[in-house]
Amino acid sequence: MEKINFQRQSEIWKDSTERSSSASSSSRTKTPSPDYTRVCLLLVQKTRLLASSPPATEQEALLQAATWAEILFEIIPLNRLDDVYRRAARDHDSAFPLGHGGMIAAWKAIKAEESALRQDAAIGATLQTDSAADCDLCYGGGFRFKEHPADTAKSGFVRCDHSEAAVAPNDYEN
């Protein structure tokens, strides 16, 4: 079996991408920072250990880290890489080692969860400013149950205005 010269392959790949990027005006101009690539190197090594894979040579690990950095740096912020790796590793259920696709999926899941939490917090803040948390009628839900004394078919939920007047006797006249 022929031994692969990864450094030479990397140089060839770099030369070809430089030529294609200079030919294309719409190519990306950003490159990952050395810190980003270092963190990716650490994550590449951790994924190999996690998968019980044999250790990579230094050249293999550097090439893989550079490839991960190139793909992930515009998607996942540096300060969130470790969080994303941990989530991806927990969610990973394949016999194959964790790859960049698992990292991207984990980042999307984290962003969706954080977005839902922000929305819940915004709704909670709105309810707090409406004094809903102190309301004995709706207990912060924004709706209270209006029971019609004579006809249960007319009973139902109505928007709560968080005041004692909300249960005035004329409330039941329909």
Side-chain angles (χ1 to χ4, degrees):
M1 187 168 152
E2 182 181 328
K3 185 175 179 181
I4 299 173
N5 183 340
F6 285 98
Q7 187 168 0
R8 179 69 185 130
Q9 292 293 335
S10 178
E11 290 169 2
I12 293 169
W13 176 78
K14 185 178 177 183
D15 290 343
S16 67
T17 56
E18 285 174 356
R19 273 186 260 118
S20 66
S21 67
S22 63
S24 170
S25 61
S26 65
S27 67
R28 295 182 296 196
T29 57
K30 292 182 174 181
T31 58
S33 70
D35 287 341
Y36 200 98
T37 305
R38 270 192 293 271
V39 172
C40 284
L41 178 59
L42 177 65
L43 296 180
V44 163
Q45 292 169 336
K46 288 167 72 172
T47 58
R48 293 185 70 82
L49 290 170
L50 189 65
S52 300
S53 297
T57 66
E58 185 178 348
Q59 288 178 339
E60 290 171 335
L62 289 172
L63 183 59
Q64 189 174 6
T67 304
W68 272 39
E70 177 188 26
I71 300 302
L72 300 177
F73 88 100
E74 289 186 331
I75 301 169
I76 305 170
L78 175 62
N79 64 335
R80 300 301 303 274
L81 274 173
D82 192 57
D83 296 336
V84 172
Y85 163 76
R86 290 170 189 268
R87 171 65 180 266
R90 281 193 304 270
D91 292 351
H92 189 68
D93 63 354
S94 170
F96 294 102
L98 177 64
H100 76 283
M103 295 284 288
I104 293 170
W107 176 240
K108 287 179 181 178
I110 289 171
K111 283 192 339 184
E113 289 170 2
E114 289 175 351
S115 176
L117 287 174
R118 279 192 299 277
Q119 288 174 350
D120 289 348
I123 291 169
T126 302
L127 291 176
Q128 292 293 333
T129 59
D130 290 343
S131 70
D134 298 329
C135 183
D136 291 331
L137 300 171
C138 70
Y139 303 104
F143 291 89
R144 63 181 175 81
F145 188 74
K146 179 181 106 176
E147 186 173 348
H148 194 282
D151 186 1
T152 57
K154 292 183 179 179
S155 297
F157 287 93
V158 294
R159 184 169 294 280
C160 186
D161 64 1
H162 312 300
S163 69
E164 291 300 319
V167 289
N170 63 2
D171 193 28
Y172 301 113
E173 297 171 13
N174 285 352

